[in-house]
Amino acid sequence: MTGEAVVLGLRTAKLPSRALAVVLDLAVEFAAFFIVTVLLLTLLEGLDGAAAAALMICMMVFFLVAVPVTVETLTHGRSLGKMALGLRVVRLDGGPARFRHALVRGLVGIIEIILLTGVPAAITSLVNSDGRRLGDIFAGTIVVRERVPAGRSTGPVVAPPPQVMAALGTDLVRLDLSSVPEGLWLAIRQLLGRADQLDAEVAFRMAHQLAGDVAMRTQWPVPAGLHPALYLGAVLTERQRREWQRAAAAAPYAQPMAPSPYAPPVPVPVPSPFAPPMPQFAPPAAPVRYLGVPPQAPAPSAPVPQAPVQSAPVPQAPVQPAPVPPAPVQPPPVVPVQVTPPPVLPVRAAEPQDAPPATAPVADGGFALPG
């Protein structure tokens, strides 16, 4: 949504609420200025008139310029009076006010509110349609209402009823929504989401402008008699339907389908009271993760320098000469030895004392037994 459109969609603060907030702020500032100045003059009794006047001027600048500027910068456009009435200072594009905006508002406010008793600020706020005073015009800011009273919603109904969707269904299906940029879709969602907080005229003007942009890009004009907000709601609903259809078509391939809530419950086995107790095993320790604290990845350990590995010297065996096969042993030659038989000595028979009788010789040269 464009910058000015955002601001116009908010409820701007008018003169009565702004004047009351300024009165509360000035009352607190002057009270603090008076108390601090009296204390300083009491403690510093020896000051002359010039020094006392200079001190009062410094205190006035501090409490009427420095303090309001600092408070609006730190609170993003909210002073004590604005907090009490639910007001806030924002830029024309809807963003929070910064230091330079608060400084310009404070310097101009000294002239138009304090020195000129607020007459230029009141006249400018009455003439301006957004209730802006001179400080807001020079700083490029606007004061809006943050708290919207209940029961004052006069915005149009933005949710398209089924009758409208049924009447526009054929034309919505044929629309080419690819030419509508994301920024325009965001503006439509913001408008439809804040319809209850907008004035009827402001909401109609913004819806008419956005509907014209959508009709120009989709080549489908707003049907006669249809509120622009309903037209935008119908187009946005059609876009969401197409996105849901594409997501549903891609879901079965991306992740398993969740079980149906209407499926019958799975029976849970109930252990028998007579069954022996089962041993209990402690589950493995799981990493504990605290909500809101992202899981911490283990810190990489520093590489430990490793000393180069020196290989031990391998002792080399002494080189043994190749064994020489022994020469075959030749048996000694066999020398024939002539053996001489020993001489046979004649044996002389002993003569018995009583010789037996002689026997006759046997014809074949043997001996005959004595008979």
Side-chain angles (χ1 to χ4, degrees), residues 19 37 49 54 84 172 208 234 279 295 304 339-340 351:
T37 303
L172 289 174
H208 181 73
V304 180
V339 179
T340 303
E351 294 181 0

Side-chain angles (χ1 to χ4, degrees), residues 32-185:
F33 164 73
F34 178 77
I35 295 173
V36 174
T37 303
V38 170
L39 290 177
L40 290 178
L41 292 178
T42 303
L43 295 176
L44 304 175
E45 296 180 356
L47 292 179
D48 55 358
L55 179 62
M56 293 185 61
I57 293 175
C58 292
M59 289 296 100
M60 183 176 295
V61 172
F62 176 76
F63 283 102
L64 299 182
V65 178
V67 172
V69 169
T70 305
V71 171
E72 284 195 0
T73 303
L74 296 180
T75 59
H76 300 289
R78 300 182 67 185
S79 62
L80 183 62
K82 293 182 178 63
M83 291 180 186
L85 297 177
L87 307 180
R88 180 187 291 271
V89 180
V90 297
R91 303 195 306 263
L92 289 179
D93 58 355
R98 302 187 182 277
F99 173 74
R100 60 184 181 88
H101 305 95
L103 181 61
V104 173
R105 282 173 48 83
L107 294 178
V108 178
I110 290 292
I111 300 175
E112 66 173 340
I113 296 178
I114 297 178
L115 298 181
L116 300 179
T117 65
V119 175
I123 296 176
T124 308
S125 181
L126 289 174
V127 173
N128 191 277
S129 59
D130 296 328
R132 302 167 64 190
R133 63 178 178 87
L134 292 179
D136 295 322
I137 295 175
F138 285 108
T141 57
I142 188 174
V143 180
V144 298
R145 297 168 57 185
E146 287 187 324
R147 294 197 297 264
V148 180
R152 296 189 59 183
S153 177
T154 57
V157 179
V158 297
Q163 297 83 357
V164 175
M165 296 299 298
L168 304 178
T170 306
D171 296 331
L172 289 174
V173 172
R174 293 199 301 260
L175 282 181
D176 182 14
L177 304 179
S178 60
S179 59
V180 181
E182 289 295 332
L184 188 54
W185 290 120

Side-chain angles (χ1 to χ4, degrees), residues 323-335:
V324 179
V329 179
Q330 298 294 333
V334 180
V335 179

Side-chain angles (χ1 to χ4, degrees), residues 281-300:
F281 300 97
V288 179
R289 179 178 179 184
Y290 298 94
L291 295 179
V293 179
Q296 300 292 335

